Amino acid sequence: MYRNIFLFLSMFLSFSVLSETSSDSENIQRAVLDYIEAQHNVEPDLMKRGLDEKLAKRTYWKSEDGSEFVMETDFKTMVWVAENYNKEGNKFAVSPKLI
């Protein structure tokens, strides 16, 4: 999960370098924070605000048996994740490691 967050942040933060206006940079930063905070704080409205409804997310995974696959996720699934993944408040470290 942390690898996915790191890749997502890397992708969006690299776009901020190419932004032409401070408004673009602010919007990118807001989208990244919406994505992360939606999952941590169980706030699906943040996920809805931060993602486009045409989202087609693809994540590389390696299973325990060593096989590799690509998981595809859409907007509705990510909203579901924001609603359900951290309901118990135990999915993320209290003090995460900083890279």
Side-chain angles (χ1 to χ4, degrees):
M1 184 67 184
Y2 290 114
R3 180 175 68 189
N4 292 338
I5 292 173
F6 175 76
L7 290 173
F8 185 81
L9 286 174
S10 297
M11 181 182 72
F12 275 98
L13 292 176
S14 66
F15 282 100
S16 68
V17 173
L18 303 174
S19 298
E20 293 187 20
T21 68
S22 62
S23 177
D24 290 340
S25 296
E26 291 169 7
N27 289 339
I28 292 166
Q29 184 177 13
R30 183 72 260 155
V32 171
L33 290 173
D34 284 349
Y35 178 87
I36 295 168
E37 291 172 359
Q39 293 179 66
H40 280 254
N41 302 325
V42 190
E43 295 187 34
D45 288 337
L46 290 181
M47 189 68 77
K48 289 176 186 175
R49 181 176 73 181
L51 298 179
D52 189 283
E53 290 185 16
K54 295 177 187 174
L55 173 75
K57 176 182 173 186
R58 291 170 182 84
T59 309
Y60 166 82
W61 290 92
K62 192 169 188 177
S63 63
E64 291 180 15
D65 68 3
S67 61
E68 300 171 349
F69 63 97
V70 174
M71 181 176 68
E72 295 189 22
T73 309
D74 61 8
F75 175 81
K76 289 180 183 179
T77 303
M78 290 308 300
V79 172
W80 181 92
V81 167
E83 292 172 339
N84 296 284
Y85 181 70
N86 197 32
K87 273 188 176 179
E88 304 297 319
N90 62 353
K91 299 294 184 184
F92 299 98
V94 175
S95 298
K97 285 192 241 179
L98 299 176
I99 298 174

